[in-house]
Amino acid sequence: MVRVPLNDQERQRGELLGQALRRARGERSMVEIAAASGISTETLRKIEKGRIPTPAFFTVAAVADALGVSLDQLRAEVAAAQADRQRLTA
C-alpha cells in the first residue's frame, strides 16, 4: 500500500497535537507517560516533536488517558491553535 504524502495542514496538525500532549505532560517524565501508555519513549518523543504527524488513534487515546486528558480536550486545543495560526498568516 502506498501512503499519500501529507499536506502542510496535516503536518501542522500533527505538530500542534504533539505540542498539546507535551503541555499536558507538564513536569511528568516522558518515560513515565510512555510506560503508562504502553508505547516506547521514542514513539512518545516523535509524537511530541511532530515527527509522527498522524499517530494511530489508539496510541493517542492511550497517551491522553495516561495524561488524564480527554480526546475532546485535545481536539479542541489543536483546533484552536490551528485557528490562531491561520489568523496570524492571513
Side-chain angles (χ1 to χ4, degrees), residues 21 33 37 39 44 47 58-69:
L21 291 171
I33 299 304
S37 303
I39 63 173
L44 181 56
I47 293 169
F58 289 105
T59 300
V60 175
V63 173
D65 187 48
L67 293 170
V69 178

Side-chain angles (χ1 to χ4, degrees), residues 5-90:
L6 300 176
N7 63 37
D8 288 339
Q9 186 178 14
E10 291 166 328
R11 281 191 292 279
Q12 179 187 76
R13 188 175 53 226
E15 290 171 13
L16 294 172
L17 172 63
Q19 291 169 9
L21 291 171
R22 174 63 188 98
R23 280 191 297 278
R25 185 165 57 85
E27 296 297 317
R28 292 175 282 187
S29 79
M30 193 175 281
V31 173
E32 172 191 346
I33 299 304
S37 303
I39 63 173
S40 72
T41 303
E42 185 60 24
T43 297
L44 181 56
R45 182 181 343 276
K46 287 178 181 178
I47 293 169
E48 285 187 359
K49 298 273 187 190
R51 291 183 47 220
I52 301 176
T54 57
F57 171 79
F58 289 105
T59 300
V60 175
V63 173
D65 187 48
L67 293 170
V69 178
S70 76
L71 293 174
D72 285 337
Q73 288 172 296
L74 280 176
R75 186 202 53 76
E77 187 173 339
V78 170
Q82 275 186 304
D84 287 345
R85 279 195 180 180
Q86 288 175 351
R87 262 193 305 275
L88 292 173
T89 59

